[in-house]
Amino acid sequence: MVDYVNLEYEPSKNDLIAMYYVEISSECKNLEHASEEIAKESSIGTWTEIATLSAEIAEHLKPSTFYINEENNIIKIAYTKDLFEANNISQILSAIAGNIYGMKVIKSLRLLDISFPEDIVSAYRGPKFGIDGIKKLTNVMDRPLLGTIVKPKVGLNEIEHSKICGEAWQGGLDIVKDDENLTSMKFNKFEKRITETLKIRDKIESTTGERKFYMPNITAPLNVMKKRADFVVKNGGEYVMVDIVTVGYSALQEIREYLDDKNVVIHAHRAMHAAFTRDKKHGMTMLALAKLMRLIGMDQLHTGTIIGKMEGGKQEVLEINNAISKPEMKDNNLTMLNQDWYNIKPILPVASGGLSPLHIPELIKILGKDMVYQFGGGCHGHPDGTKAGAKAIRQAVDAVLQGYSLYDYSKKNFELAKAIETWDKK
Ligand code: CAP
Ligand code: MG
């Protein structure tokens, strides 16, 4: 009989640790019983004793539940690193975030955080650019990177799309991105969109003297993603965007490898994440997903706005941003485990969704300046159009950095004044 619960167990630095929120079903005796079943099903066991599981295998590979917090329904399980193929995110998740979700003894289960041992961390490249690399590339050092998403999400043709990008760059934004569902459509072919948009990017860079960046969405089957990335690079692009959840972890690992010698920044959009991160009792946290993205090596990652249109509270977003942008994390026994990132570079967090220039003072106050702030409707929804919307965003950032209220600064900045008129709900 293998024992999967050992509250005396001291995890070794070679263990991968998973922290779960667990609600038991009527088929389960208690949290300890649930822990037993979770540890078993996520590693070497199954629903019944088996003669084929020798004492040696059990000794070598059995995980240990070493922490059970009945009050908060939280458990921690330590797994020997030998249970995992270090550089294989799919296999790691098939173990610690696989069958266990469907077990009848469990009513709900949420993978809160994963702590990776050095042997697993060192199997990954991590971000190629990281925060310093992006600052150097964009030459934007002491203010947030400002971007927009071309709207409507899809529907424009390649020329219309490129013109809107030009307006946004002319108005002062650094970055323009494709929306998460814009790839290559009947009415907007990827290649033509890229060439038309980068042509305008070059023109605006020379007229403004500022670096300007386009983040085309290469999301597609892996072989097509590689071809599209090559096309972007060949045409002078420096960013690609990938929908990290819908392309899948294995494709993400491969596209990161493929792009390593191509000097292109990877912007990670997280469309569909809320299917499994939103329910506070079931699924996997955005924190856990974000840490996987740092290992795989995304350079920028959407992590939430706190004050915009998408869910994601202040503590949660700040913890995620710290987890992806700081060198280490400390266990708080509730929401996060220890994590040393060794040589893995930090990810630049992105706040996007339901934001207008009026949100900028609070965004900078809560999330700071080492961020990307993106405004879709909050740029193209300006009454005087995209260029005015971009100017209003830039003016709002200048106001905050110079210590003015938006209202005072708007007295001499017409586009900001119009933005306040449009979106100030007071
Ligand atoms: C924002 C956006 C972003 C979401 C992503 C959209 O547009 O382009 O994809 O904000 O959300 O399609 O909604 P708006 P998150 O600025 O017009 O809202 O960053 O939370 O994943
Ligand atoms: Mg979008």
Side-chain angles (χ1 to χ4, degrees), residues 149 151 153 177-181 269 352:
I149 310 100
K151 302 284 175 180
K153 289 173 177 264
K177 68 181 269 299
D178 289 347
D179 226 327
E180 67 279 356
N181 55 336
H269 194 290
S352 171

PDB file of all heavy atoms in Angstrom, residues 149 151 153 177-181 269 352, ligand 2:
ATOM      1  N   ILE A 149      -5.033  48.308 -30.726  1.00  0.00           N
ATOM      2  CA  ILE A 149      -5.404  47.101 -31.460  1.00  0.00           C
ATOM      3  C   ILE A 149      -6.286  47.590 -32.591  1.00  0.00           C
ATOM      4  O   ILE A 149      -7.233  48.350 -32.328  1.00  0.00           O
ATOM      5  CB  ILE A 149      -6.224  46.147 -30.565  1.00  0.00           C
ATOM      6  CG1 ILE A 149      -5.506  45.921 -29.233  1.00  0.00           C
ATOM      7  CG2 ILE A 149      -6.579  44.882 -31.291  1.00  0.00           C
ATOM      8  CD1 ILE A 149      -6.062  46.755 -28.086  1.00  0.00           C
ATOM      9  N   LYS A 151      -9.205  48.109 -34.770  1.00  0.00           N
ATOM     10  CA  LYS A 151     -10.637  47.771 -34.663  1.00  0.00           C
ATOM     11  C   LYS A 151     -11.323  48.306 -35.920  1.00  0.00           C
ATOM     12  O   LYS A 151     -10.935  49.358 -36.432  1.00  0.00           O
ATOM     13  CB  LYS A 151     -11.251  48.408 -33.409  1.00  0.00           C
ATOM     14  CG  LYS A 151     -10.586  48.018 -32.091  1.00  0.00           C
ATOM     15  CD  LYS A 151     -10.950  46.625 -31.624  1.00  0.00           C
ATOM     16  CE  LYS A 151     -10.170  46.244 -30.386  1.00  0.00           C
ATOM     17  NZ  LYS A 151     -10.475  44.920 -29.886  1.00  0.00           N
ATOM     18  N   LYS A 153     -12.300  44.342 -35.022  1.00  0.00           N
ATOM     19  CA  LYS A 153     -11.363  43.226 -34.852  1.00  0.00           C
ATOM     20  C   LYS A 153     -10.983  42.622 -36.190  1.00  0.00           C
ATOM     21  O   LYS A 153      -9.833  42.345 -36.480  1.00  0.00           O
ATOM     22  CB  LYS A 153     -12.011  42.149 -33.960  1.00  0.00           C
ATOM     23  CG  LYS A 153     -12.164  42.509 -32.504  1.00  0.00           C
ATOM     24  CD  LYS A 153     -12.971  41.421 -31.776  1.00  0.00           C
ATOM     25  CE  LYS A 153     -13.082  41.708 -30.290  1.00  0.00           C
ATOM     26  NZ  LYS A 153     -12.061  40.999 -29.504  1.00  0.00           N
ATOM     27  N   LYS A 177      -1.259  46.436 -32.895  1.00  0.00           N
ATOM     28  CA  LYS A 177      -1.323  44.976 -33.029  1.00  0.00           C
ATOM     29  C   LYS A 177      -2.584  44.560 -33.773  1.00  0.00           C
ATOM     30  O   LYS A 177      -3.584  45.280 -33.786  1.00  0.00           O
ATOM     31  CB  LYS A 177      -1.246  44.294 -31.663  1.00  0.00           C
ATOM     32  CG  LYS A 177      -2.421  44.499 -30.764  1.00  0.00           C
ATOM     33  CD  LYS A 177      -2.251  43.813 -29.415  1.00  0.00           C
ATOM     34  CE  LYS A 177      -2.803  42.408 -29.424  1.00  0.00           C
ATOM     35  NZ  LYS A 177      -4.240  42.315 -29.710  1.00  0.00           N
ATOM     36  N   ASP A 178      -2.516  43.348 -34.339  1.00  0.00           N
ATOM     37  CA  ASP A 178      -3.718  42.705 -34.882  1.00  0.00           C
ATOM     38  C   ASP A 178      -4.574  42.256 -33.710  1.00  0.00           C
ATOM     39  O   ASP A 178      -4.049  41.981 -32.633  1.00  0.00           O
ATOM     40  CB  ASP A 178      -3.349  41.454 -35.702  1.00  0.00           C
ATOM     41  CG  ASP A 178      -2.660  41.785 -37.016  1.00  0.00           C
ATOM     42  OD1 ASP A 178      -2.677  42.969 -37.431  1.00  0.00           O
ATOM     43  OD2 ASP A 178      -2.088  40.849 -37.613  1.00  0.00           O
ATOM     44  N   ASP A 179      -5.864  42.117 -33.935  1.00  0.00           N
ATOM     45  CA  ASP A 179      -6.704  41.567 -32.883  1.00  0.00           C
ATOM     46  C   ASP A 179      -6.538  40.044 -32.822  1.00  0.00           C
ATOM     47  O   ASP A 179      -6.005  39.437 -33.768  1.00  0.00           O
ATOM     48  CB  ASP A 179      -8.175  41.960 -33.084  1.00  0.00           C
ATOM     49  CG  ASP A 179      -8.767  42.443 -31.748  1.00  0.00           C
ATOM     50  OD1 ASP A 179      -8.354  41.914 -30.707  1.00  0.00           O
ATOM     51  OD2 ASP A 179      -9.608  43.356 -31.745  1.00  0.00           O
ATOM     52  N   GLU A 180      -7.052  39.455 -31.726  1.00  0.00           N
ATOM     53  CA  GLU A 180      -6.738  38.030 -31.497  1.00  0.00           C
ATOM     54  C   GLU A 180      -7.367  37.120 -32.544  1.00  0.00           C
ATOM     55  O   GLU A 180      -6.905  35.988 -32.733  1.00  0.00           O
ATOM     56  CB  GLU A 180      -7.196  37.596 -30.091  1.00  0.00           C
ATOM     57  CG  GLU A 180      -8.685  37.583 -29.828  1.00  0.00           C
ATOM     58  CD  GLU A 180      -9.237  38.963 -29.513  1.00  0.00           C
ATOM     59  OE1 GLU A 180      -8.447  39.927 -29.431  1.00  0.00           O
ATOM     60  OE2 GLU A 180     -10.457  39.078 -29.385  1.00  0.00           O
ATOM     61  N   ASN A 181      -8.406  37.586 -33.216  1.00  0.00           N
ATOM     62  CA  ASN A 181      -9.066  36.717 -34.214  1.00  0.00           C
ATOM     63  C   ASN A 181      -8.796  37.183 -35.630  1.00  0.00           C
ATOM     64  O   ASN A 181      -9.484  36.761 -36.557  1.00  0.00           O
ATOM     65  CB  ASN A 181     -10.577  36.663 -33.950  1.00  0.00           C
ATOM     66  CG  ASN A 181     -11.203  38.062 -33.910  1.00  0.00           C
ATOM     67  OD1 ASN A 181     -10.518  39.043 -33.634  1.00  0.00           O
ATOM     68  ND2 ASN A 181     -12.477  38.160 -34.219  1.00  0.00           N
ATOM     69  N   HIS A 269      -0.904  36.759 -26.580  1.00  0.00           N
ATOM     70  CA  HIS A 269      -2.306  37.067 -26.282  1.00  0.00           C
ATOM     71  C   HIS A 269      -2.928  35.828 -25.646  1.00  0.00           C
ATOM     72  O   HIS A 269      -2.639  34.713 -26.069  1.00  0.00           O
ATOM     73  CB  HIS A 269      -3.047  37.452 -27.569  1.00  0.00           C
ATOM     74  CG  HIS A 269      -4.374  38.087 -27.307  1.00  0.00           C
ATOM     75  ND1 HIS A 269      -5.446  37.384 -26.814  1.00  0.00           N
ATOM     76  CD2 HIS A 269      -4.781  39.364 -27.439  1.00  0.00           C
ATOM     77  CE1 HIS A 269      -6.484  38.214 -26.663  1.00  0.00           C
ATOM     78  NE2 HIS A 269      -6.105  39.412 -27.016  1.00  0.00           N
ATOM     79  N   SER A 352      -4.646  45.417 -21.098  1.00  0.00           N
ATOM     80  CA  SER A 352      -5.426  45.708 -22.292  1.00  0.00           C
ATOM     81  C   SER A 352      -6.859  45.261 -22.054  1.00  0.00           C
ATOM     82  O   SER A 352      -7.076  44.233 -21.419  1.00  0.00           O
ATOM     83  CB  SER A 352      -4.842  44.921 -23.465  1.00  0.00           C
ATOM     84  OG  SER A 352      -5.666  45.000 -24.601  1.00  0.00           O
TER      85      SER A 352
HETATM   86 MG    MG B   2      -8.527  41.778 -28.828  1.00  0.00          MG
END
